Amino acid sequence: MRHTDVTLDNCLKCSDCNAACPVMTAHPRYPGPKHLGPELEKLRREGLPCDSEWLEYCLGCERCDMACPNQVNVAELIARAKAAHKKPLRRRLRDWLLARPGLLGQVISLAPAVANRVLALGVVRRLMSLTAGIAAERSFPAYARVKLAGVHGRSRGAERVVFFQGCSMRYNEQALGRDCIALLAENGIETEMSEAGCCGYPALANGDPAEARRRVRANLELLYQAAENGTPIVTACTSCGQMLKTGFTLLLGDDPELAAKARVVESAVRDLGEFLIERADQGHLSLRFGDCGHLGRLAYHSPCHQATQGLSRPWFHLLRMVPGIEIEDLNAGCCGMAGTFGFKQEKYPVSLSIGQRLFQAIAQAAPRQVVSECPTCRMQITHGSGVPSVHPATLLVMAYEQRKVVDGGGGGARLAS
Amino acid sequence: MDRTQVVIIGGGATGAGILWDLSLRGIAAVLLEKRDLANGATGRCHGLLHSGARYAVKDAEAARECLRENRILKTIAPHCIHDVGGLFVRYPQDDPAFFTAWDRACADIGLPTAPLSAAEALDLEPNLPSGILGASTCPDAHVDVFQLTLSNLQAAVARGGRFRAYAEVTAIERRGGQVTGVRFRDTLSGDEDSIDCEMVVNAGGGWAQQVAALAGLHVPVRCDKGSLLVLNHNLVTRVVNRCRKPGDADILVPAGPVCILGTSSITVSGPEGLRAETDEIEALLKLGTELVPCMAESRVLRIFSGVRPLYVPQGADKAGGREISRGFALLDHGVEDNLDGFVSIVGGKLTTYRLMAEKTCDLVASRLGVDEPCRTAETPLRPPTPEAVTRKIRHLLPAQAASIVERRLGPAMAQLAERIEADPDMAEILCECEQVTRAEVAMVMAVDAKVPVRTINDVGRRCRLGFGSCQGTFCGYRAMLEGYRQGLWPAEAAAADFKRYLDERWKGQAQIPNGKQLEQLMLSHDLFGPSHHFHSDGEG
Ligand SMILES: Cc1cc2nc3c(=O)[nH]c(=O)nc-3n(C[C@H](O)[C@H](O)[C@H](O)COP(=O)(O)OP(=O)(O)OC[C@H]3O[C@@H](n4cnc5c(N)ncnc54)[C@H](O)[C@@H]3O)c2cc1C
């Protein structure tokens, strides 16, 4: 043991991490984070062979880290072991691709119309499941050609944020991007769409730390100047947020110069909800919401990476400020999607079985829409419960628009989908 | 009334080695141990399989003996040894004259060493302090003392030898000048019994003086207490010796998942009721931090003490504990005290247990008129493991658990595989720290086990259950239940034994000066303390 990681010593084997692990409940034979993290690491240092197929089943939700009463870096230990895990060639190729959503997005968005149609074909999906191990049951999000770039919502003397889009927004959810811009503009803030690419989290989750390091290294340079100038770096994706707040130090912390830069960037990062609720706390949030009673019952699902950022459901509280909104916090654990995990054919059943608790809670709440900030949580929710899902930013923008509708007396309410 | 040729008193490495040696020579023998195997110094020692390098400067003879035995044990008992190698590290604060003396002495003995630069040594052991001057390699190793003792017993039992635990010899019977048998008491049940025999061997270690007194004889043994600290990780991967005149806390032995720092040296009045004093522990830790600085923030798991039995014949100098040669003495009381059939073997080291057994059994055999030579130096303690069995276990268990159990069980893994194939739930890991399966615990608890168990602690000495960082907090309870399920003990007795087990564990951790293990201890208190009726008195 190097003296830098004596934290392994902190493990009391108490199993709090196991109790918090969503996979544990869904898969009776899954050995759990206590075993896959600190326990195996200790045995590994004894020189024993410690590779385990189960490492692949870790969602990377980091709930174990939050649960640990003794500050053991459980998730990080598992991630490191996962990176060293040996996989068969076919899965290696697939995971190589899943580790690079940016690359996938770039290629597909060359001819998105064709790609979208091809990807939607049943044969193609079955073919992908056979050759690439992608679950045929999953549908791919639609890709778009246009990209959001440049500065939006310019106005004189406005505050500015640098917006980190993430792959999902960049390639599939430009509409959400525009909603975020509108939301910020409504509050007198101009948005500079950053050129930064993938946050690196998918690479880390797919056991490819080298690729993750390349991503964060590039992003560090792109984001540093803004952070150094005191400009907030904002993202609407919770997994990107989690990565942007911790990943630079995790992957580049060995180099003292980069570590210093990493700290600057990481401390400038805000989840968009977090950013807005901070403003609300300071009385700087525009409260010009119209009545949104027409939205009907809503249910909120909090993504794992929202909680691991130490946030306490800022979007839920923001939405509750909107008059007429009826929203319930589902509080039903992890959805089971975990980014690219749920796309993998062999993990698909586990992914759905983890989500059962959430799907049941949704069925009970019977909402018109489920609200959640994480793009892959939303995919899973709609896939597993059949209920449409929406990012909270979209609803908040609608609330502002609703006020304008009332003020201006024209147009009708729009139901987000 | 039972009969045998030889009764051996004391189930440490020496007694177990004697039982094996006699069994190989075809001499019927019974080994009586008042607690369980390795209850004495054997189970409380550092577990360093000396290469002799530690003694090279001071006692070339002892060093040569160690080197020879080191080589023999590595060939006959590789499954008991982690052949990690050792380093003699040169610290700037130590006497450079000793460095050269050490080099010369090792060369004289023919002890293979190789010099390393400071950078090379730090590369091998990054936790050494950066200021070291250099190091030398040597063939030190770690020996699993429980496994070694158990293996000797199992091999002996397979050859007709008999081992009885919880049998305290209370009297040595004599008729005139001849030993005729022993009386003993079962220390768990209180039952008394006796065995007739032609010879009695006193392998009582630190108790040798008390054992000899049972025959009315005086064997002068001085008890030299040494205390050891078990650290939660292997901070080093090779044995680290401080290259200087032997002193306190100058050896750190990596022992599987943990490492052990030692030792102190304090003369005490007897082998029972040992306890490490607070200032003794502090001094050890302070010196340990000189050895490996990160020890300061490392978790100490356990502290324990043992006594080195030092033979002090009349007239020997009365200087400090280390001044007496570490050699051993074989006393033929027929010659020395006119009591035929009584032999005492005292002193020595764990490393030389086989040699001590050989010399003892040569004498016993000649007194019994048996003309069989010693064969322990070339007979493996355990037959090789068939490849098919290893493959099967690797298929049934996760990689690390298979690898651990391969060392521990060898060919007996065939039975392990049978149990797991009959009931897949048997693959469940009961002791997480040491990766012990339910199947292995069941094997250890089986009525037909070669070396049976009677308590939860006994289970640990067979398969290391409860030896890891949680110190039995989780697996002790599971082992109790498994024993109940197997019919090893009824409910009442199971709960009582579990309470004793916890008490002992709690005592072992209570002295630890470092917060992390205390948190573990508190967790155990929380789980099993007064509210759960497992423990209603004392510090709980
Ligand atoms: C702190 C310490 C560290 C050491 N480190 C090392 C090391 O690293 N390497 C090394 O080679 N050596 C080491 N030694 C020395 C080594 O431990 C001993 O020399 C060796 O274990 C002695 O074994 P034994 O079988 O002779 O005695 P013991 O192991 O003491 O066995 C004697 C047994 O006799 C039993 N007994 C006593 N009275 C009775 C009775 N009336 N009836 C029945 N049974 C009885 C006891 O219960 C005990 O189990 C160390 C010793 C100590 C104390």
Side-chain angles (χ1 to χ4, degrees):
Chain A
M1 182 174 59
R2 308 288 154 114
H3 54 273
T4 48
D5 36 270
V6 276
T7 62
L8 199 50
D9 263 348
N10 288 359
C11 179
L12 302 182
K13 303 245 161 193
C14 71
S15 301
D16 280 7
C17 54
N18 283 356
C21 174
V23 189
M24 267 322 254
T25 48
H27 208 308
R29 301 205 87 86
Y30 184 66
K34 174 170 72 162
H35 173 74
L36 293 174
E39 194 167 288
L40 276 188
E41 180 58 19
K42 189 154 184 266
L43 295 161
R44 194 173 290 119
R45 287 169 190 205
E46 196 186 330
L48 293 162
C50 287
D51 199 10
S52 166
E53 186 60 29
W54 290 116
L55 286 164
E56 289 277 296
Y57 283 78
C58 165
L59 303 177
C61 70
E62 303 183 19
R63 284 177 186 262
C64 43
D65 273 12
M66 282 197 298
C68 178
N70 242 0
Q71 290 84 47
V72 180
N73 301 330
V74 187
E76 190 188 327
L77 291 168
I78 299 176
R80 259 194 270 154
K82 199 180 199 178
H85 172 63
K86 300 249 181 315
K87 306 184 255 205
L89 180 66
R90 198 172 74 118
R91 255 192 279 153
R92 226 158 55 220
L93 292 174
R94 176 198 64 192
D95 293 357
W96 186 90
L97 202 63
L98 291 178
R100 292 163 176 76
L103 181 67
L104 201 66
Q106 273 167 22
V107 173
I108 293 183
S109 53
L110 291 176
V114 183
N116 290 341
R117 236 168 302 142
V118 171
L119 283 172
L121 290 174
V123 252
V124 172
R125 270 150 64 180
R126 270 195 299 283
L127 207 67
M128 287 210 307
S129 107
L130 284 176
T131 56
I134 304 280
E137 294 83 349
R138 293 281 182 199
S139 44
F140 267 80
Y143 285 82
R145 188 197 291 271
V146 264
K147 284 187 198 72
L148 292 169
V151 181
H152 301 259
R154 270 186 207 277
S155 64
R156 202 150 2 116
E159 292 172 50
R160 176 181 281 205
V161 299
V162 166
F163 200 90
F164 184 93
Q165 302 185 60
C167 298
S168 169
M169 180 179 292
R170 178 174 308 233
Y171 299 109
N172 313 110
E173 295 196 302
Q174 282 95 347
L176 172 60
R178 280 188 285 272
D179 287 341
C180 293
I181 290 169
L183 202 51
L184 288 161
E186 192 68 35
N187 283 283
I189 298 163
E190 58 183 43
T191 307
E192 179 189 332
M193 285 295 177
S194 167
E195 288 300 307
C198 177
C199 68
Y201 191 82
L204 213 54
N206 282 287
D208 195 342
E211 170 65 10
R213 207 166 290 124
R214 276 192 290 277
R215 295 277 70 84
V216 295
R217 185 74 188 83
N219 289 345
L220 186 68
E221 295 310 327
L222 288 166
L223 299 171
Y224 177 69
Q225 209 44 59
E228 172 73 1
N229 293 341
T231 312
I233 297 163
V234 172
T235 179
C237 169
T238 38
S239 293
C240 292
Q242 165 71 10
M243 187 70 183
L244 294 171
K245 284 179 177 179
T246 58
F248 296 105
T249 300
L250 179 74
L251 294 162
L252 307 172
D254 284 346
D255 180 323
E257 199 182 313
L258 295 180
K261 279 185 161 182
R263 278 192 297 276
V264 173
V265 173
E266 285 169 352
S267 55
V269 175
R270 294 286 178 282
D271 177 77
L272 179 56
E274 176 188 20
F275 178 78
L276 295 174
I277 204 115
E278 275 174 12
R279 291 182 71 89
D281 289 346
Q282 296 155 1
H284 295 329
L285 184 77
S286 157
L287 297 175
R288 291 150 36 84
F289 300 120
D291 187 283
C292 281
H294 65 282
L295 288 175
R297 288 159 74 94
L298 300 171
Y300 173 73
H301 163 71
S302 130
C304 296
H305 286 153
Q306 183 264 123
T308 52
Q309 287 182 50
L311 306 179
S312 45
R313 301 165 302 155
W315 285 108
F316 177 68
H317 296 298
L318 284 166
L319 287 174
R320 294 220 307 180
M321 293 176 189
V322 176
I325 273 197
E326 187 193 336
I327 185 163
E328 171 185 341
D329 182 8
L330 291 166
N331 192 20
C334 174
C335 74
M337 187 66 181
T340 56
F341 181 89
F343 276 106
K344 300 175 182 176
Q345 193 169 17
E346 74 281 7
K347 273 116 198 163
Y348 176 74
V350 187
S351 164
L352 275 198
S353 118
I354 295 170
Q356 283 314 314
R357 219 180 113 208
L358 177 61
F359 306 152
Q360 274 157 22
I362 293 174
Q364 206 146 49
R368 292 242 306 264
Q369 298 184 86
V370 178
V371 185
S372 189
E373 53 265 54
C374 167
T376 59
C377 289
R378 275 182 274 126
M379 271 184 216
Q380 173 88 331
I381 285 166
T382 303
H383 181 68
S385 71
V387 178
S389 51
V390 62
H391 190 286
T394 302
L395 296 182
L396 218 54
V397 168
M398 277 174 52
Y400 285 130
E401 280 174 9
Q402 190 67 23
R403 172 68 173 262
K404 287 179 204 153
V405 168
V406 174
D407 287 354
R414 171 169 73 108
L415 181 72
S417 55
Chain B
M1 175 74 65
D2 199 354
R3 269 208 68 79
T4 188
Q5 279 180 287
V6 182
V7 166
I8 307 152
I9 305 171
T14 311
I18 293 170
L19 186 69
W20 166 231
D21 191 321
L22 290 179
S23 304
L24 261 185
R25 298 186 206 224
I27 297 171
V30 178
L31 170 56
L32 300 179
E33 161 56 50
K34 68 175 181 153
R35 305 291 308 167
D36 188 36
L37 60 89
N39 167 60
T42 302
R44 295 159 208 250
C45 86
H46 214 153
L48 170 58
L49 182 66
H50 282 285
S51 62
R54 169 73 19 200
Y55 307 119
V57 172
K58 231 184 98 225
D59 186 345
E61 204 34 59
R64 275 199 193 87
E65 220 167 71
C66 283
L67 183 60
R68 264 196 312 272
E69 288 302 309
N70 174 297
R71 286 178 173 149
I72 291 173
L73 293 180
K74 281 179 186 174
T75 57
I76 63 158
H79 63 289
C80 304
I81 291 163
H82 290 109
D83 196 1
V84 288
L87 293 182
F88 269 72
V89 181
R90 304 174 176 202
Y91 290 82
Q93 63 270 40
D94 291 334
D95 177 13
F98 189 85
F99 304 161
T100 33
W102 186 85
D103 281 341
R104 207 176 323 110
C106 288
D108 287 349
I109 295 162
L111 212 152
T113 65
L116 298 175
S117 69
E120 287 167 326
L122 283 166
D123 201 37
L124 294 177
E125 296 298 346
N127 284 332
L128 289 172
S130 52
I132 57 167
L133 305 174
S136 282
T137 61
C138 70
D140 281 349
H142 166 248
V143 53
D144 182 330
V145 289
F146 296 102
Q147 172 94 337
L148 181 69
T149 312
L150 181 64
S151 278
N152 273 281
L153 294 176
Q154 286 170 329
V157 171
R159 288 253 177 180
R162 285 150 70 200
F163 169 65
R164 203 169 152 157
Y166 298 101
E168 178 173 14
V169 174
T170 49
I172 294 171
E173 314 272 19
R174 54 194 291 177
R175 196 176 309 117
Q178 171 66 43
V179 161
T180 58
V182 301
R183 273 195 280 137
F184 64 94
R185 185 171 55 88
D186 187 307
T187 47
L188 291 182
S189 69
D191 296 344
E192 309 238 349
D193 207 344
S194 62
I195 305 183
D196 279 353
C197 62
E198 294 161 56
M199 291 193 76
V200 171
V201 176
N202 170 8
W207 290 264
Q209 189 164 339
Q210 285 93 321
V211 170
L214 297 175
L217 304 182
H218 179 64
V219 170
V221 173
R222 200 176 74 218
C223 290
D224 178 44
K225 181 184 79 167
S227 296
L228 295 154
L229 261 55
V230 186
L231 295 138
N232 188 36
H233 278 104
N234 37 16
L235 302 175
V236 291
T237 54
R238 293 159 185 76
V239 178
V240 167
N241 296 271
R242 192 161 165 175
C243 192
R244 65 166 189 189
K245 207 157 134 289
D248 284 353
D250 51 9
I251 308 178
L252 185 60
V253 180
V258 299
C259 67
I260 307 178
L261 171 74
T263 155
S264 49
S265 170
I266 299 166
T267 299
V268 290
S269 59
E272 300 278 355
L274 301 176
R275 199 189 130 87
E277 304 303 330
T278 308
D279 50 355
E280 185 184 351
I281 297 167
E282 271 167 19
L284 281 173
L285 260 181
K286 188 163 164 289
L287 285 166
T289 309
E290 283 184 37
L291 215 58
V292 172
C294 69
M295 196 176 293
E297 64 270 19
S298 301
R299 172 168 162 188
V300 180
L301 268 190
R302 225 154 65 78
I303 295 168
F304 62 91
S305 311
V307 291
R308 301 176 188 87
L310 301 178
Y311 178 59
V312 278
Q314 261 72 37
D317 72 346
K318 297 277 191 291
R322 290 202 175 74
E323 300 308 311
I324 298 164
S325 158
R326 304 255 168 153
F328 56 87
L330 176 62
L331 309 177
D332 180 350
H333 297 291
V335 175
E336 305 209 1
D337 306 292
N338 297 319
L339 180 58
D340 283 336
F342 190 42
V343 173
S344 289
I345 174 81
V346 283
K349 284 177 270 299
L350 183 82
T351 306
T352 55
Y353 88 94
R354 193 211 60 85
L355 182 65
M356 291 159 72
E358 174 179 339
K359 299 290 180 214
T360 309
C361 297
D362 283 348
L363 176 64
V364 169
S366 80
R367 288 285 174 277
L368 293 173
V370 176
D371 189 22
E372 282 287 338
C374 175
R375 282 184 288 132
T376 56
E378 58 283 342
T379 314
L381 272 183
R382 182 170 93 179
T385 312
E387 187 56 40
V389 173
T390 310
R391 236 179 298 125
K392 194 179 257 179
I393 284 296
R394 285 188 191 164
H395 175 70
L396 291 171
L397 293 179
Q400 74 288 347
S403 169
I404 291 173
V405 84
E406 263 170 57
R407 282 184 79 86
R408 198 153 51 219
L409 291 188
M413 282 191 301
Q415 285 110 274
L416 192 77
E418 258 170 47
R419 283 176 189 264
I420 296 173
E421 280 173 333
D423 176 4
D425 280 351
M426 280 283 164
E428 187 198 343
I429 303 285
L430 288 197
C431 166
E432 296 162 11
C433 306
E434 302 280 347
Q435 296 284 294
V436 186
T437 56
R438 179 187 294 283
E440 189 178 357
V441 172
M443 270 173 78
V444 161
M445 288 176 167
V447 278
D448 60 349
K450 288 204 181 78
V451 187
V453 295
R454 288 171 69 186
T455 70
I456 301 172
N457 253 327
D458 295 357
V459 175
R461 282 180 286 262
R462 308 296 181 279
C463 64
R464 300 188 68 83
L465 175 132
F467 280 23
S469 50
C470 90
Q471 288 289 294
T473 303
F474 299 100
C475 55
Y477 188 75
R478 295 177 190 149
M480 171 189 73
L481 287 181
E482 189 59 28
Y484 174 71
R485 227 173 264 144
Q486 303 273 325
L488 187 67
W489 39 56
E492 285 279 288
D497 187 46
F498 183 57
K499 184 171 177 292
R500 268 195 303 275
Y501 178 79
L502 278 180
D503 269 344
E504 195 172 310
R505 294 286 142 156
W506 289 356
K507 219 174 74 196
Q509 293 167 80
Q511 281 175 287
I512 293 171
N514 164 318
K516 285 175 184 164
Q517 194 59 27
L518 291 183
E519 285 175 37
Q520 185 77 60
L521 179 61
M522 291 327 288
L523 180 62
S524 182
H525 279 271
D526 289 348
L527 286 171
F528 302 112
S531 58
H532 290 70
H533 305 292
F534 275 112
H535 192 275
S536 48
D537 45 54
E539 15 128 41

